[in-house]
Amino acid sequence: MAERGFSFAGFMIRWTLALFLVFSTYNPSGYSWYHWLTGAEQKLDPLIALAGVLLLIGWVIYVRATARSLGFVGTLLALALFGTIVWALLHYQLIALSNTSLLTYIVLVILSAVMATGISWSHIRRRMTGQLDVDDLDQD
C-alpha cells in the first residue's frame, strides 16, 4: 500500500526521476538516447529499441499523470510560470539568448519540473486544501 504522507523529499524523488527521463531522452551534451540513435550505424539495434521503449513508458506515465492531475489549463499555467521566469532571466540579462546550450538545459529542467509537479499535484492539492482527487469509481 502506498504511503499516505507526502513530503518535499517525495517531490524531489519525482523530480529527479523526471530529470533522468528528460535528460536521458535528449540533452545538448551529446550523451542521450537521441544521440545514440542518430549516431548508430544500425538503427534497428535491439538495445536502442529497448531503451526507446523504456523511455516511452516513462514519458507516457509522466505525461498522462500531468495531464490528468493538472489538466490543460493547469499545465499551461505551469508552463507560463516557468516561461515568465525564463523571460525575466533573459530580460535582466542573467542569461544570454545566444547561449543556446544553456537555454536548452533550462527548458529541459522546466519540462521536468512541470512533469514532477503534475505527477505530485494530487498530493500537493490534498495538503493545501484537504480535498482528495478520485479518478476511479466503483460502479455496481
Side-chain angles (χ1 to χ4, degrees):
M1 183 173 183
E3 184 181 325
R4 287 197 151 307
F6 180 72
S7 64
F8 181 71
F11 176 78
M12 292 307 294
I13 290 169
R14 288 171 174 87
W15 194 7
T16 301
L17 292 171
L19 283 166
F20 178 78
L21 177 65
V22 169
F23 279 85
S24 294
T25 304
Y26 175 80
N27 65 70
S29 73
Y31 296 101
S32 68
W33 180 83
Y34 169 80
H35 292 98
W36 185 22
L37 176 67
T38 58
E41 292 178 17
Q42 185 178 354
K43 304 290 186 207
L44 292 176
D45 185 274
L47 288 178
I48 295 173
L50 176 63
V53 169
L54 290 172
L55 287 171
L56 183 61
I57 290 168
W59 277 99
V60 167
I61 290 169
Y62 265 87
V63 170
R64 185 160 191 234
T66 299
R68 288 185 74 154
S69 66
L70 292 180
F72 180 73
V73 173
T75 303
L76 280 180
L77 287 172
L79 289 171
L81 171 68
F82 290 117
T84 305
I85 292 170
V86 172
W87 179 23
L89 292 172
L90 290 167
H91 179 77
Y92 293 109
Q93 298 175 353
L94 297 172
I95 59 174
L97 195 56
S98 61
N99 192 347
T100 57
S101 181
L102 177 61
L103 283 174
T104 302
Y105 279 112
I106 290 171
V107 167
L108 294 174
V109 168
I110 287 171
L111 177 61
S112 66
V114 170
M115 292 188 336
T117 302
I119 207 163
S120 302
W121 187 248
S122 291
H123 297 288
I124 295 167
R125 181 174 179 217
R126 184 177 67 221
R127 272 272 176 99
M128 291 183 346
T129 66
Q131 297 176 354
L132 294 174
D133 290 336
V134 180
D135 290 333
D136 300 322
L137 299 173
D138 289 334
Q139 305 221 354
D140 294 328

